[in-house]
Amino acid sequence: MRIAISYPPIVNDRGQKAMVSQNRNVQYFIKPTYLLPVTYAQAATWLKDDGHDVLWDDGNAQEKTYEEWFADLISWRPDMVVFESTTPVMKFYWRVIDELKAALPSTIVVMSGYHSSRQPSETMEMSSTDVVLRSNHVDFVLPRLARDVKLLADWRDECAIEGLSIRSTSGIRNTGHFIQVEPLDRSPIVDRDLVDWERYAYENGNFLQTPGTYATSVIRDCTFGKCTFCRYNGPDLTFSQMSIERSLDEYERLINEYGVKEIFDDSGVWFRGQDARAFAHGIIERGLHKKGCYFGFNTRFEYLDEETIKLLAEANFRFVLLGFEAADDETLQRLNKGYQMEHVDQCLEWLTKYGLHPHLTIMVGYHWQTQEQLDQTVAEVKRLMFSGMARTLQVTICTPLDYTPYHQECIREGVLLADDYDDHDMSKVIVKTPIPHEAYYQAIREMYGISYHPKFILRQIRFLASGRKRDWQFLFTYGWRALRRVRQHVFNLTSASQEDHAPISKTSELESVKR
Amino acid sequence: MVSTRVGTERGSALVVNHSTLEVLGHRALTDNTYVLRTTRPDSPIEAGQCFSVGTRSLAINREYSMYSAEDDPFVDFLIRRVDGGAVSTALADLREGDPVEVGGPYGSFCLNGDDLLTRRFVFIATGTGIAPFASFVKTFPQLDYILIHGIRYDSEKYDQEVYEGDRYQPCVSRPSIGAGERVTDMLESMDLDPAALYYLCGNRNMITDTVHILRERGIPGGNVYMETFF
């Protein structure tokens, strides 16, 4: 079969391009970061290994216009096209699918992603989609589906793979619960050549050195899985883990065969404890820590002890992304973050002591967030950044991601202001709050402004005394890139805040997303 | 550990509280496994839920399921001391009266109130993954269940007297006498009731293999609940 895994270019009416961002939601940027969708890359690899002709069709990363992307896809004449979508671009995708089906009526269109997986009937109703995957294990499901399509004469009525909605001759057929636990070691390591990895290797704020790349994630979904705002929380999500040796093999290949200089594992939460130490030992035993490549991962406060952090530093780990979310315990508790503010400093001190670069991800605009709580967050972030305990940060507006507990809570408490999917693009606050929305935008600007502050710059200069190459790189290589990104974030929120006072659209206008 | 599938309709607290509790005692079960008993936090607790547990000096925590009944005036945790494991070792060193930091309870690996008297349960655990099932059984003595417990040694049949009759079925992989047996071996040889509810808790390999067996044997995915160690 000829199978395309496709990401159409999406540009909004401000000329910004859609990029997949935090929690695999979509955010718009003028100069986007192209993130490799790792699970889909594994799916593409698996399909190729099964003998299919696979087209890795990321129109965003390939910097095509919509028209170029569409024409190229049509001319390739796929038997099956797989899309991944999410809330703010659902309407766009429905329209694309109808256009695609009009041009290629016999092509099977498969829709996946967190939004449609939770509400498959909507996508079936709103578009001519043939199959909706209710599983986030697309790498496991797609090869099975392709096999059935190939082998079963009437696959729409006969396919018995769990977790699908299929447009059959007699209507929409649901095949029940999908398998929640899949052994991650059976999914292939990403074929870097197939997915044209270098397109994702340079424009990424997580990389201090390039080319960088995302590793095949060692953990599917999240080890913790209880944060109320997060996609990785729900009855259909679970946790599975790849073996340490297999991941080490991939790191070795990426460094030795592809010349990768920074590897980031974007697992919801990376290894901890024994597994983290075993991984670091493996890096050292293979000599990969001396190859000039940095490593990074996501973790949580109160997860890594000093001994483990020291070992990770010896193994040349650098970038550590931590969900900080807010600086008041009430918010942390309401979000089920599972850590306390009083232990934040200790974790950051250990990371900084051994030369790692902690990156904080902060959110604002929770429906309960008071001015006092917001000020506390801003003040705490400033303290951590000025003191050198954190090196970089990103701030986003907490947008209720559909079907998460936080989203359900917003509906239950009547605070959700938006019923148009387009408004879920993280560009503005879409919940009722105790203070004006502008206060949150101002807080974001203030936090991003930290990187321009003399105190912050002075602290980075003081880091140079450590003699670590990474600190010099941070100031002189990464600095200008970071500043450019900060300007983008500030621009986005400035534009959003100007629009925020207008009533939120109650109708769904497809034209609000330009192709 | 992480829980999957919402298994409760009895509601769980939205806000997770952090408390400093007091150690009430330790009880050694094997050379490396012990029960840590603490005072009870103020929050309502449901059998099957877990807590983040740590000490103030550590600044790290780990999640442990509750081992005691949900209405007990204390909370028990069943803990295996891990080689090089900072938290499990530090908790083992605590003495009566020492403070212990606890966040929670959270998680939804709980029993649905409607199922308690109407459904048959098959609980499948490895090692200390038996903790939530012990909590279920102590909280709901009327449950109709069997408990399959995968362990390495005979000594790891933790508090087996809690489980009446032949409901407790250990699978010992390295028994002192006779051939070893794994959880998956026992499942392969059992009649599996497709109407029963299957609750799994333990290491990820057991969970993966067990889910595969259950699916092969026609157990609907909606009847399977799991909590995986990590």
Side-chain angles (χ1 to χ4, degrees), chain A residues 258-471:
Chain A
Y258 291 88
V260 168
K261 295 293 180 193
E262 184 132 15
I263 301 174
F264 182 71
D265 187 319
D266 202 19
S267 301
V269 178
W270 192 71
F271 293 139
R272 67 177 188 181
Q274 272 185 319
D275 289 339
R277 292 192 291 274
F279 192 91
H281 278 303
I283 290 282
I284 293 166
E285 281 160 16
R286 293 175 186 226
L288 301 178
H289 62 309
K290 292 182 177 169
K291 299 272 188 174
C293 181
Y294 296 134
F295 311 113
F297 58 88
N298 298 298
T299 190
R300 297 166 47 76
F301 289 109
E302 296 192 47
Y303 258 36
L304 296 173
D305 59 286
E306 184 172 7
E307 185 197 336
T308 305
I309 290 170
K310 185 180 173 192
L311 193 58
L312 291 170
E314 285 171 26
N316 217 26
F317 277 77
R318 181 192 72 83
F319 186 76
V320 180
L321 190 149
L322 293 132
F324 183 72
E325 265 66 74
D328 63 288
D329 277 323
E330 184 199 336
T331 298
L332 296 179
Q333 288 169 6
R334 292 184 76 136
L335 297 176
N336 270 3
K337 281 302 293 180
Y339 71 86
Q340 298 175 82
M341 275 307 298
E342 66 176 285
H343 295 311
V344 164
D345 277 20
Q346 182 63 83
C347 175
L348 294 175
E349 277 168 14
W350 285 334
L351 290 168
T352 307
K353 175 179 172 184
Y354 294 104
L356 284 88
H357 291 178
H359 173 94
L360 303 179
T361 60
I362 301 130
M363 292 199 295
V364 299
Y366 307 105
H367 70 79
W368 58 79
Q369 193 170 33
T370 62
Q371 187 67 53
E372 189 185 354
Q373 289 171 330
L374 188 61
D375 291 345
Q376 201 176 332
T377 295
V378 174
E380 190 65 13
V381 167
K382 281 184 179 173
R383 184 181 71 79
L384 295 173
M385 294 290 282
F386 290 155
S387 66
M389 281 198 279
R391 302 296 285 266
T392 46
L393 61 81
Q394 79 190 60
V395 195
T396 48
I397 293 165
C398 184
T399 302
L401 303 174
D402 35 9
Y403 313 109
T404 57
Y406 179 68
H407 177 243
Q408 299 303 303
E409 178 188 331
C410 289
I411 293 172
R412 203 168 48 244
E413 302 202 4
V415 296
L416 188 60
L417 295 172
D419 60 4
D420 186 333
Y421 290 158
D422 293 352
D423 292 323
H424 288 249
D425 66 356
M426 300 166 80
S427 68
K428 53 183 170 288
V429 178
I430 57 168
V431 292
K432 280 183 197 167
T433 51
I435 54 175
H437 290 177
E438 175 55 29
Y440 304 107
Y441 306 138
Q442 178 55 36
I444 294 179
R445 284 190 285 265
E446 208 175 331
M447 284 189 270
Y448 275 126
I450 290 170
S451 56
Y452 295 102
H453 198 286
K455 273 190 194 172
F456 177 75
I457 295 167
L458 191 63
R459 187 65 190 87
Q460 306 317 307
I461 292 169
R462 282 174 53 207
F463 271 122
L464 301 183
S466 72
R468 292 187 188 105
K469 180 184 167 190
R470 60 182 62 179
D471 290 331

Side-chain angles (χ1 to χ4, degrees), chain B residues 5 17-18 35 43 48 52 66 77 95 116 122 141 144 163 165 173 184 192 227:
Chain B
R5 296 205 46 76
N17 293 309
H18 281 85
V35 175
S43 326
S52 303
M66 184 174 68
F77 299 103
R95 294 288 166 261
L116 291 175
V122 179
D144 180 12
Y163 317 100
S173 60
T184 45
L192 299 179
E227 182 108 316

Side-chain angles (χ1 to χ4, degrees), chain A residues 162 180-181 223-224 226 237-239 241 272 274 277 302-304 333 336 338 340 342-343 350, chain B residues 1-2 4-5 16 18 56 58-63 82 84 101 106 204 208 215 222 226 229-230:
Chain A
E162 298 96 335
Q180 294 176 58
V181 174
T223 45
F224 186 68
K226 295 174 176 71
L237 300 174
T238 183
F239 146 77
Q241 187 170 314
R272 67 177 188 181
Q274 272 185 319
R277 292 192 291 274
E302 296 192 47
Y303 258 36
L304 296 173
Q333 288 169 6
N336 270 3
Q340 298 175 82
E342 66 176 285
H343 295 311
W350 285 334
Chain B
M1 57 184 67
V2 66
T4 63
R5 296 205 46 76
V16 174
H18 281 85
R56 181 170 293 269
L58 277 178
I60 56 171
N61 64 42
R62 291 290 179 263
E63 293 83 32
V82 177
E101 291 196 342
Y106 40 70
R204 54 185 174 267
T208 301
R215 301 301 296 223
M226 51 203 131
F229 281 5
F230 57 89

